[in-house]
Amino acid sequence: MFLASLRTRWAGLLGAFVAVALGVALTAAMGLGLASTFGAPEREPVRFAGSPVVVMGQNTLTVPVERGPDTAHASKPLAHPHPVDIELLRDLRRLGPVRLDGAKRDAVGVDAPVGDVRKVVGDRARVLTGAERRLADPEPERDAQALVAVNSFLGTAGGVSAFVSVFVTASTFAFVVALRRREFGLLRMAGATPGQVRRMLLAEALTVGAVASGVGCLLGAWGAPVLADALVDAEIAPEWFAIGGAVWPYHLAFWVGVTVAFSGAWTASRRAGRVGPVEALRDASVDTGVMPWSRRIVGGTLLAAGVGLLGWTLWTDPSALMKRKTYTTQPMILITALAALTPLLVRPVLRAVRLPGAIGLLVRENSAASVRRTAAVAAPVLVTVALAGSLLGSAETAGEARAAEARQRTGAELVLTGDELSRTERVEPAEQVEGVRVAASSASTAVFVREEGTALIRSEARAVSDPAAFASVSRLPVVAGDVRDLDDRSIVVNEEWERRRVGEWVDVWLGDGRAVRLRIVAVLARGTGDNGAYVTSANGAAAVVDRVDVGLRDGADRGAVAGALRERVGDAGLRVRTAEEWLTDTHPATKPQTRLGLGLLLGIALVYTSISLAGTLLMATSVRGPELRSLRMAGATRGQVRLVIAGEALLAVAVGTVLGLAVTLLNLAALTAALTRLSAPAAMTVPWDMVGLAAGVCAVVGVGSGVLGVRRR
């Protein structure tokens, strides 16, 4: 029986087929991309390729930490690795030729037997051979770090794509079943048992799911290289990134597709099998009972869980709301909740709408009467708009908060940057330029602290040569103490530290690994996480000055002073910029790669939603022949019928947009409240351009599909 049903109902199942196939294709492509990030390609050593042995200074800090009743060791890379000392160089030269890289002594190449080298070195340095010699190259971890970024993006994209595909596929199957209620009633009247109706629907779902999953795997194999090229072009992935030959993503995608198809038809099939023949026939004409109590309970529970989780996170760990993992996953709970409650919300929303004219009245009443159709169209729009608003809005709100915080911290008028800055050769000439009031140099470094005895925490820091001068050209968010009290035996920390009271002593390891005990003289607000620690240059002796903040005298011409500074210190590699230019270059509100990545992710979701939306409306219009003929018999012209269909599609898209905006505003409001709790600049940023684009594309697809369905009648 189900084979005959497939032959006659293939057009109605086409939307479900496309939904499953595209979902499987996305899952396979993302899975293949993830599988390709699990290992960076082996690279040959470059810096000391001609040396069989490389001796590298210690570049890690290792300290004992507690692991339950036992003691373990935790390690972190040093901010300033140790050089190979002079005495060790003399010993190595006795073994054979030693190769240096210019004046650098962080690593040297040795032409000698590795056993002899290890005996001489002992625990004074690291001995590298074979492929390990690459660790002495500049940025040896860049390949692995690049893969981490790609892995993070594909993981996020895969999770969102899987959510959209599961959500839309299940919704499509449920709508397909809802369109066939009259058929079920006739089958029940002809003697079919509820079990036979359920088994027929599930057999159809399994058949469609299996065939569509196979097609989706083929599409995924074709689309994965295209996705990899797009990631490389967007500078999200490194140039060498390519899809490997993993097989498990195909298995995963295939069985996910079959499972989604089966589960999407399961609930609707049980509901269709439970109703009696007369009730099924009556229910086929008018949408009633579209919200069973089980769905209300599930939707209400998810809504309470989503709001409760937002509140709990806001209260216990507001900084977590700024993390991509959090603002990517939490909206999904609210989206699922509102989607489950959409049939319940459709009529109240529509009743609040007043459309002009007879056609407007007919559009509203038709949409309110056909709740299942309206909800099926609104659901994918809700998903797309909510994701576009929540993901991009959260990224832009957090990015704008970081940029605003950086602007608030900066009190200088001009900023000198470069890797070759030096206190004596660059800062003193800067101070001698007419119009310069103060020039405060600082260097990037780090400090390490063992918190609660169980974790070694690295905190980014800056080493300043003159705390008073630095305080005069900065506006740090101090909540206690005074930055000007900083000296060689003290430190400035922020509210994230375990010890954060002024006057307390804290044991830290400096960027070069030295253990010191420093007194806290000032505490900064936690903010967005960019308020690091501050030490003096004596506690960052290995750090190279990379920035000089310049303050001007009253009435000084900034342009003239900048020109004079360029003449005095404008060597190759050094830049003189206004504070605004420097902030724009180093603290953009949203990184271009982030926006490109999220745009690519939302583009995938939008394509999927558009195809699902078109399939749903074509299926819905295909069963409205008697209704549309009645309109024609009542005197409506073909143009008026098309206007009614287009208006219903636009109204359903508007309902989905409103619900999606509700999710967006709730998430962004929680993020804004979190920024306020963190004492960071808080301003909600709604990406109206992307929200409008998503809603506009859905509207065009909806109207076009609906009108096309009418023309086919």
Side-chain angles (χ1 to χ4, degrees):
M1 182 170 63
F2 89 91
L3 290 176
S5 178
L6 282 176
R7 284 194 297 269
T8 57
R9 290 285 184 179
W10 67 269
L13 295 171
L14 184 60
F17 177 89
V18 173
V20 174
L22 186 56
V24 170
L26 289 174
T27 304
M30 297 297 176
L32 288 169
L34 281 174
S36 301
T37 66
F38 292 155
E42 291 292 337
R43 299 294 185 93
E44 293 296 325
V46 175
R47 189 178 174 196
F48 296 104
S51 299
V53 182
V54 174
V55 177
M56 187 169 66
Q58 295 291 350
N59 63 347
T60 58
L61 171 66
T62 302
V63 301
V65 294
E66 298 175 3
R67 291 289 185 269
D70 301 324
T71 300
H73 289 84
S75 298
K76 294 283 186 180
L78 290 173
H80 313 295
H82 295 178
V84 179
D85 62 67
I86 300 297
E87 182 179 350
L88 179 56
L89 277 177
R90 291 198 198 99
D91 295 338
L92 292 173
R93 286 193 173 101
R94 296 191 185 101
L95 299 177
V98 174
R99 299 181 183 179
L100 299 176
D101 183 10
K104 298 179 181 179
R105 289 194 295 111
D106 60 311
V108 297
V110 183
D111 292 340
V114 62
D116 296 342
V117 174
R118 292 188 190 277
K119 289 180 182 179
V120 169
V121 172
D123 59 356
R124 292 184 290 175
R126 297 181 63 187
V127 178
L128 309 175
T129 60
E132 283 188 337
R133 292 174 297 164
R134 188 175 171 274
L135 296 177
D137 291 342
E139 300 181 9
E141 301 297 329
R142 64 180 181 273
D143 288 345
Q145 292 172 355
L147 287 183
V148 168
V150 178
N151 187 285
S152 176
F153 169 77
L154 288 177
T156 302
V160 173
S161 299
F163 170 75
V164 174
S165 63
V166 169
F167 180 89
V168 175
T169 300
S171 175
T172 301
F173 263 106
F175 185 61
V176 168
V177 172
L179 290 178
R180 298 171 61 185
R181 285 169 295 158
R182 186 178 297 275
E183 175 187 347
F184 301 150
L186 292 173
L187 286 174
R188 295 283 286 119
M189 292 185 68
T193 65
Q196 288 175 322
V197 173
R198 287 195 297 268
R199 286 192 293 272
M200 180 189 72
L201 291 174
L202 294 177
E204 291 178 359
L206 283 175
T207 303
V208 171
V211 176
S213 295
V215 174
C217 287
L218 294 176
L219 290 174
W222 170 81
V226 177
L227 175 63
D229 292 341
L231 293 177
V232 172
D233 292 340
E235 298 182 354
I236 297 173
E239 294 181 357
W240 47 261
F241 181 71
I243 300 298
V247 177
W248 64 262
Y250 296 110
H251 294 281
L252 174 65
F254 181 87
W255 291 110
V256 164
V258 173
T259 303
V260 168
F262 184 81
S263 59
W266 174 262
T267 303
S269 68
R270 291 186 63 84
R271 182 174 181 273
R274 280 197 302 265
V275 297
V278 176
E279 183 182 353
L281 287 174
R282 182 172 60 249
D283 191 47
S285 299
V286 180
D287 280 349
T288 59
V290 295
M291 278 293 290
W293 282 106
S294 59
R295 183 166 179 172
R296 297 181 187 221
I297 293 173
V298 170
T301 302
L302 286 174
L303 182 60
V307 175
L309 184 60
L310 272 178
W312 180 78
T313 307
L314 177 62
W315 178 257
T316 60
D317 187 13
S319 62
L321 291 176
M322 297 183 60
K323 298 176 181 177
R324 183 170 57 183
K325 182 184 296 184
T326 302
Y327 67 67
T328 299
T329 55
Q330 282 196 345
M332 295 181 185
I333 303 175
L334 295 172
I335 290 171
T336 306
L338 283 188
L341 298 174
T342 297
L344 190 66
L345 301 174
V346 163
R347 285 195 176 110
V349 172
L350 293 177
R351 295 302 180 194
V353 177
R354 293 291 182 268
L355 298 177
I359 292 179
L361 178 63
L362 187 59
V363 166
R364 190 186 72 173
E365 295 304 318
N366 277 351
S367 300
S370 301
V371 173
R372 286 190 179 92
R373 182 179 69 237
T374 305
V377 174
V381 180
L382 159 65
V383 174
T384 305
V385 171
L387 287 177
S390 297
L391 296 186
L392 273 173
S394 296
E396 291 183 358
T397 298
E400 182 57 42
R402 293 188 180 95
E405 190 176 59
R407 289 193 296 269
Q408 291 180 357
R409 287 197 306 261
T410 305
E413 285 86 4
L414 297 172
V415 179
L416 280 68
T417 56
D419 295 333
E420 301 300 327
L421 282 170
S422 129
R423 299 181 186 88
T424 57
E425 297 179 3
R426 305 298 179 196
V427 180
E428 290 180 3
E431 291 177 336
Q432 296 170 6
V433 172
E434 184 178 356
V436 172
R437 173 176 55 85
V438 62
S441 63
S442 61
S444 177
T445 184
V447 294
F448 305 85
V449 62
R450 181 170 48 198
E451 294 194 351
E452 299 179 353
T454 61
L456 179 63
I457 306 299
R458 172 181 171 133
S459 177
E460 299 301 320
R462 293 204 68 81
V464 299
S465 57
D466 186 343
F470 184 79
S472 68
V473 290
S474 63
R475 298 187 292 265
L476 299 180
V478 178
V479 297
D482 193 334
V483 176
R484 292 171 295 183
D485 294 335
L486 182 65
D487 57 28
D488 295 345
R489 299 189 60 192
S490 59
I491 187 173
V492 176
V493 302
N494 59 50
E495 291 178 317
E496 288 185 298
W497 284 52
E498 181 185 12
R499 290 178 177 268
R500 53 181 181 272
R501 286 189 298 180
V502 174
E504 279 190 303
W505 291 84
V506 58
D507 295 317
V508 301
W509 289 265
L510 301 176
D512 57 6
R514 288 181 294 157
V516 295
R517 186 175 175 83
L518 301 175
R519 182 174 57 88
I520 298 174
V521 296
V523 180
L524 307 181
R526 177 183 298 184
T528 62
D530 289 343
N531 293 326
Y534 290 85
V535 295
T536 60
S537 298
N539 291 321
V544 178
V545 175
D546 57 7
R547 194 178 92 206
V548 177
D549 295 315
V550 178
L552 304 183
R553 299 183 184 278
D554 293 339
D557 185 283
R558 186 167 63 173
V561 174
L565 283 172
R566 291 188 182 96
E567 292 180 2
R568 298 289 293 271
V569 299
D571 297 345
L574 301 180
R575 298 184 63 185
V576 179
R577 288 172 286 183
T578 65
E580 294 79 8
E581 292 172 342
W582 175 75
L583 288 167
T584 300
D585 294 340
T586 58
H587 296 81
T590 304
K591 294 181 179 179
Q593 289 84 355
T594 300
R595 193 169 181 87
L596 276 173
L598 290 176
L600 180 62
L601 169 62
L602 294 175
I604 294 173
L606 186 58
V607 169
Y608 190 91
T609 300
S610 298
I611 294 175
S612 174
L613 195 64
T616 299
L617 281 166
L618 287 173
M619 287 188 296
T621 309
S622 68
V623 298
R624 298 181 66 183
E627 175 189 347
L628 299 181
R629 285 192 293 271
S630 298
L631 281 177
R632 294 282 290 129
M633 293 176 63
T637 64
R638 291 184 181 274
Q640 289 174 325
V641 171
R642 294 193 186 101
L643 282 177
V644 170
I645 298 298
E648 292 175 5
L650 285 175
L651 194 56
V653 169
V655 171
T657 302
V658 169
L659 297 178
L661 280 174
V663 174
T664 296
L665 294 176
L666 180 58
N667 280 286
L668 295 184
L671 177 56
T672 304
L675 290 171
T676 302
R677 287 206 62 202
L678 293 170
S679 302
M684 183 186 299
T685 303
V686 181
W688 293 112
D689 54 345
M690 293 302 295
V691 170
L693 176 63
V697 170
C698 290
V700 171
V701 172
V703 171
S705 302
V707 173
L708 179 62
V710 173
R711 293 186 63 181
R712 294 175 57 190
R713 299 303 304 169

